[in-house]
Structure formats: structure tokens, C-alpha cells
Amino acid sequence: MSVRSGFNLTPIGYPVIRREVKKEDAVLISRVFMTNDTDNKGFLSRADLKVAVVELLGYKPTKYEADQMLRDYGDNVSETLRGLREEQFVACMSEKMAGLDEDDEIRHTFMAFDMHCRGFLTLDDVKKVFASHAPHVPVPTIHSAFREVDQDGDGRVSFRDFQFLMKYSLDDHI
């Protein structure tokens, strides 16, 4: 366990569990391709690819990463230009999406709340975050929510408790 973050680390970082790319994901990838295929040329250039990755994965790839995707998945669309056609883009982004950790966003949010890197949240941590990002939420509501999430009543919200909160859906319990 990492002392700094409180999460279990492998020698190369957090373990990544490959997930299945759903049909909805493939449809989304195709839609992103269509919206970024400027001039309906049938392929994405490096600039188009960078914008598409931002839209799909939420980060801008480096020039090196974009060139690597074009080299690994693309082909020459002219004598001087490499590009990704739709099926190549779908294959490339499906592989990237399969490698995404589904809990990565939850982990990053938890770490943002955990300002002291203790691996748990206290009521004071939560109140500070709400005061700076959602000051309109009444303090009694924050107290009530914290007590609800603190399942063992020790005054600390562990990552598991936080993860449960973030994944909780009323549809699952009605």
C-alpha cells in the first residue's frame, strides 16, 4: 500500500483491468469520427485526430502519441499524408478505451478531496471542498451526507465508501 495515497500499487502503478468495449462505445467512436472528419474526406489527419481524442477521452495526445497512432493504425492517404479511416479509428480508440480504468475518475476525485494524502476523507476535508466548489450547499446537508457515506461511523470516509457513493444509483435500489 502506498503511504502517500493509500491505494495499492503494482511495481508499474495502478493495475489496469481491460474492459469490454460496448456497442454503444463503438457507436460513439464512429460519431466522433464523423464530427471530426472535416470536409468529409474519409479520414482523420493528425490535427483532426488530436481533437477527436480530446472529445472522446478527455485529453490532448502529444504529437508523439498522435504520430504513433497514425503509424500503428493509419495508412497513407496521399504521398505526404497519413490518416486514419473510420474503421482504423474505431480499432485504435476501442483499444484505448478497453485499457481505461473505469474507476480512474473516481480515484482522481477522491485524491482531490484527500488534500492531506492520508487515504481517507474527514468531515473537514469534505466541508472545505464544498465551501470552495459548492458554497450554496448547507452545512447540515454536508454533515448528513458524510454520516451516510461513513458506513462504519469512524469519522473517516475510505476510498471504498467514496467509491460506493459515486457508483450508487437509485435505480438499483428501487
Side-chain angles (χ1 to χ4, degrees), residues 12-174:
I12 57 170
Y14 293 110
V16 176
I17 300 170
R18 288 250 187 258
R19 68 179 183 93
E20 289 292 317
V21 176
K22 301 175 190 142
K23 185 176 181 178
E24 298 85 32
D25 293 334
V27 170
L28 175 64
I29 294 169
S30 291
R31 191 172 308 129
V32 168
F33 177 88
M34 297 293 184
T35 59
N36 289 284
D37 179 14
T38 56
D39 304 326
N40 293 322
K41 56 190 178 295
F43 66 91
L44 298 180
S45 64
R46 184 192 316 135
D48 298 334
L49 177 60
K50 284 183 163 188
V51 173
V53 171
V54 168
E55 190 175 328
L56 195 59
L57 301 177
Y59 76 94
K60 181 180 177 185
T62 63
K63 179 183 178 205
Y64 174 78
E65 186 180 2
D67 287 343
Q68 187 176 15
M69 285 187 268
L70 289 168
R71 185 176 53 252
D72 293 347
Y73 291 93
D75 52 27
N76 293 330
V77 291
S78 73
E79 284 188 29
T80 59
L81 184 65
R82 273 187 91 69
L84 284 177
R85 301 190 190 288
E86 183 175 2
E87 61 277 357
Q88 296 164 327
F89 180 71
V90 169
C92 178
M93 292 298 108
S94 293
E95 174 136 345
K96 287 202 167 290
M97 289 177 79
L100 290 178
D101 182 358
E102 290 180 326
D103 294 332
D104 197 41
E105 189 172 337
I106 295 171
R107 186 178 300 109
H108 285 289
T109 304
F110 180 84
M111 291 170 73
F113 273 66
D114 184 13
M115 293 176 232
H116 302 290
C117 300
R118 297 176 295 209
F120 60 86
L121 305 178
T122 64
L123 181 58
D124 286 337
D125 294 333
V126 175
K127 285 185 348 189
K128 285 177 187 173
V129 170
F130 272 90
S132 65
H133 295 289
H136 62 280
V137 177
V139 174
T141 303
I142 297 169
H143 282 261
S144 175
F146 186 85
R147 280 193 307 273
E148 188 74 28
V149 175
D150 180 18
Q151 294 179 351
D152 58 5
D154 65 353
R156 299 175 174 182
V157 172
S158 68
F159 176 71
R160 282 198 195 278
D161 295 340
F162 188 79
Q163 185 179 33
F164 176 79
L165 167 73
M166 298 299 283
K167 289 183 172 183
Y168 184 83
S169 170
L170 287 176
D171 295 338
D172 296 339
H173 301 283
I174 293 180

